Amino acid sequence: MISTKAYRIFMVSFALALITTSSLSFAAVFTIEISNTLAPGSNPISISCISPQRDTWSTVLSRGASFDFHFDTNKSVKWSCDISSGARKSSFVIFDLNRDKSRCKSDGLCLWQINPDGFYLYVASIQKYQKQFNW
């Protein structure tokens, strides 16, 4: 038979394990990967993104290059980006948890291509890139 003290220690440990596990399960990790698929000879692409929490990142992508960044949804659920290449400029929300959690891959990977005519997201449910925004 288990003593009362051992039982209490077990129950407290069990409760702490449940709390820790359940608090970790609310956050999902996402990766945004952006690829420059502009035509040969195109200007590099400048990208600057920000979340409502004021997390930021910036990069410059030459043709054929890719860049990715990771975040968890406990910290950021939306990212907006300013993107430019030569005279072309555009701003859009590259990630919104409510909009994109079902469109990105099940492992949290959100693939974007920057093409001459706009911005394409790989939509997992149809397994192909689909135009989302114009320049």
Side-chain angles (χ1 to χ4, degrees):
M1 178 167 258
I2 299 175
S3 71
T4 305
K5 184 176 180 180
Y7 180 74
R8 285 183 183 155
I9 291 172
F10 169 77
M11 291 305 291
V12 168
S13 299
F14 181 72
L16 287 173
L18 283 177
I19 291 168
T20 302
T21 303
S22 65
S23 67
L24 292 174
S25 66
F26 288 115
V29 175
F30 284 88
T31 300
I32 305 295
E33 181 179 301
I34 304 170
S35 298
N36 178 347
T37 55
L38 295 180
S42 298
N43 290 321
I45 297 172
S46 295
I47 305 171
S48 179
C49 299
I50 189 167
S51 75
Q53 294 76 23
R54 296 292 186 217
D55 297 320
T56 62
W57 65 263
S58 297
T59 192
V60 175
L61 293 178
S62 57
R63 183 185 179 284
S66 296
F67 177 79
D68 64 47
F69 70 101
H70 316 278
F71 59 92
D72 70 64
T73 56
N74 272 343
K75 191 171 181 185
S76 298
V77 295
K78 187 179 279 190
W79 285 87
S80 300
C81 297
D82 295 324
I83 299 177
S84 64
S85 177
R88 294 186 224 177
K89 295 183 184 343
S90 187
S91 296
F92 65 94
V93 175
I94 197 165
F95 182 83
D96 180 327
L97 181 63
N98 292 326
R99 180 191 71 191
D100 297 324
K101 65 184 170 191
S102 63
R103 298 187 323 158
C104 295
K105 292 184 171 189
S106 61
D107 62 359
L109 180 60
C110 305
L111 297 168
W112 285 91
Q113 285 184 343
I114 301 176
N115 294 335
D117 66 331
F119 307 95
Y120 288 72
L121 174 67
Y122 183 85
V123 180
S125 62
I126 60 173
Q127 297 183 357
K128 68 178 187 176
Y129 283 90
Q130 189 175 55
K131 188 175 184 179
Q132 304 295 309
F133 305 101
N134 291 318
W135 272 102

